[in-house]
Amino acid sequence: KQWYQRRVAITAGENENVWHGVKYPNEYKAGDRMKVGWTSNNHAGGWVRIALAPYSQRKSHKSFDDNVMKISCYGHDQRPGQTIYGDCKHPCNARPGCEYQAYEEDNARFDTTVKIPHNLADGDYVLQIKSAMSSHPHFYYSCARIKVSGGNPSMSCPQSKLIVVPKCLKGTAVELAEYTKTSKPAQFCYNNDGPGYIDADMYRVPKNVQCDPRITCAVSIDGKGCKSQDKMSDITNDWKPEQVCGEVKPAPAPTCSDGVKNQGEERIDCGGPCEACAVTMPPTTPSDRVYSNFEFKKIAYPSEGYINGNVIVDVRFKVKKWRMTLFFDRKIEITQHWGGKIASVNEFKTVYVFENKSWNGRVPAGGKVTVGFEGKFATGAIDSPVLMGKDFVEP
């Protein structure tokens, strides 16, 4: 049994109903390692907090605050020029199924692994992840119910009062202090005879290694490019995203030529115990990027399901025509729009592609493109639609 996180950006509240993508129970034994992943949603930068609490305490956010297992990097596309202004194009070089994070430094690929503690009583627990995803102003949560057995609850393992936080790309994300100010390390035993460290045996293959948290190209602002990424076409069921692995062997000892940032390296295969890194780095912002600023403003009323949105793009170079992509976290029925024409919309009505009209395709360097719309979304939510991803190109 595995845990698959099917949804990201699920709720803006402290908790939600526990969800799991495969038939319950998701069974683990004390000492097992479990792969935990999240979709990029076209975002980059920031952190993810992972906590574990008894199922009976799932409605108390303090229970999760008091039982934090680790804080990991949210992730970003490390390839030159692929992470821009806190965004990337899903799957953003996220790790596919049948692979896993085997070294602590390899923490930018939208997943991690955790160890099931040895001092848990047999029973049901809820694993929670918490993240603000790049530039989002508030936290989103996702939870999974798991069944744990084989532990020894009589063990006592006081842990440090400090949570070890890796060095991550911050981008435009919420400050790290917002993650840590209410968080306390769980008093879990990661060794069968004492406190231990959650990632001391991270090289071990997690039980659910076939899990592929990239899930689907339906959430990508570049669907065609997404489908060409490693093994994306092999995911045949969005509700059970996985790969066929065969034998997955434990990770080998790290080297200075393995293509992975590990063993204290400053960058991939350089710095630390390896040869010094080059003085200059490839730019993270391509010199041919068409726009310099992409601003989205909205007026929305959740109780009425109404949204008015306006996009203003500052154009760096002269263009003869343009295409703009908007990706939202939920379905929006756009009822009217201006400043461009709708070229396409995906089946979920979450991704809209606008193109210039006949009269506004030519834009001088330093000029602006403005597109606006009115739309409807489902009532009953506590918040309004969020722009999850964006793009502006000269096709």
Side-chain angles (χ1 to χ4, degrees), residues 204-262:
R204 289 174 48 214
V205 179
K207 185 176 180 180
N208 60 335
V209 67
Q210 71 271 36
C211 171
D212 198 323
R214 301 174 301 170
I215 299 178
T216 176
C217 286
V219 299
S220 179
I221 61 173
D222 180 17
K224 183 177 180 180
C226 173
K227 292 177 182 178
S228 68
Q229 297 295 308
D230 185 29
K231 301 180 182 178
M232 284 299 300
S233 61
D234 293 338
I235 303 175
T236 58
N237 184 348
D238 292 359
W239 294 98
K240 191 179 179 183
E242 62 182 8
Q243 301 285 344
V244 177
C245 300
E247 182 184 5
V248 179
K249 296 182 179 180
T255 70
C256 294
S257 59
D258 55 15
V260 177
K261 184 177 180 294
N262 50 30

Side-chain angles (χ1 to χ4, degrees), residues 106-267:
D106 183 23
N107 55 19
R109 301 190 67 187
F110 303 91
D111 70 342
T112 187
T113 66
V114 297
K115 186 172 185 177
I116 303 300
H118 286 275
N119 61 331
L120 298 181
D122 290 359
D124 292 356
Y125 293 81
V126 173
L127 188 81
Q128 180 203 69
I129 69 168
K130 168 183 177 178
S131 181
M133 294 187 299
S134 187
S135 58
H136 287 250
H138 51 239
F139 288 110
Y140 291 83
Y141 300 78
S142 185
C143 301
R145 183 176 179 176
I146 63 174
K147 180 180 286 292
V148 175
S149 62
N152 179 6
S154 66
M155 293 176 63
S156 177
C157 294
Q159 295 281 353
S160 167
K161 294 182 179 180
L162 298 177
I163 299 174
V164 177
V165 179
K167 184 178 180 181
C168 305
L169 175 73
K170 178 181 181 297
T172 56
V174 167
E175 296 294 334
L176 177 61
E178 295 300 311
Y179 288 83
T180 59
K181 66 181 182 181
T182 60
S183 299
K184 299 178 181 178
Q187 303 303 294
F188 290 153
C189 300
Y190 295 112
N191 279 347
N192 57 10
D193 58 356
Y197 175 53
I198 187 171
D199 288 334
D201 58 355
M202 184 179 256
Y203 64 88
R204 289 174 48 214
V205 179
K207 185 176 180 180
N208 60 335
V209 67
Q210 71 271 36
C211 171
D212 198 323
R214 301 174 301 170
I215 299 178
T216 176
C217 286
V219 299
S220 179
I221 61 173
D222 180 17
K224 183 177 180 180
C226 173
K227 292 177 182 178
S228 68
Q229 297 295 308
D230 185 29
K231 301 180 182 178
M232 284 299 300
S233 61
D234 293 338
I235 303 175
T236 58
N237 184 348
D238 292 359
W239 294 98
K240 191 179 179 183
E242 62 182 8
Q243 301 285 344
V244 177
C245 300
E247 182 184 5
V248 179
K249 296 182 179 180
T255 70
C256 294
S257 59
D258 55 15
V260 177
K261 184 177 180 294
N262 50 30
Q263 59 177 344
E265 296 166 356
E266 181 183 348
R267 297 197 293 271

Side-chain angles (χ1 to χ4, degrees), residues 20 34 140 161 181 185 189 237 331 334-335 347 384 389:
H20 40 84
M34 178 171 67
Y140 291 83
K161 294 182 179 180
K181 66 181 182 181
C189 300
N237 184 348
K331 177 180 178 181
I334 291 182
T335 55
E347 61 182 303
S384 59

Side-chain angles (χ1 to χ4, degrees), residues 8 31 44 59 63 88 104 139 141 146 151-152 163 170 206 225 243 254 266 289 318 342 367 370 393:
V8 175
K59 296 186 180 296
S63 294
C88 52
E104 290 184 79
F139 288 110
Y141 300 78
I146 63 174
N152 179 6
I163 299 174
K170 178 181 181 297
Q243 301 285 344
E266 181 183 348
R289 170 64 71 173
K318 178 178 67 175
I342 296 179
T370 301
V393 299

Side-chain angles (χ1 to χ4, degrees), residues 263-322:
Q263 59 177 344
E265 296 166 356
E266 181 183 348
R267 297 197 293 271
I268 295 176
D269 292 340
C270 70
C274 306
E275 292 185 8
C277 297
V279 175
T280 58
M281 280 285 286
T284 56
T285 303
S287 60
D288 59 352
R289 170 64 71 173
V290 174
Y291 66 91
S292 60
N293 188 54
F294 194 116
E295 183 179 15
F296 175 66
K297 296 181 178 179
K298 67 179 179 182
I299 300 173
Y301 303 99
S303 61
E304 301 175 11
Y306 168 83
I307 183 172
N308 177 299
N310 279 279
V311 178
I312 301 175
V313 178
D314 295 324
V315 179
R316 295 174 64 194
F317 307 115
K318 178 178 67 175
V319 298
K320 296 181 179 180
K321 55 183 178 178
W322 51 263

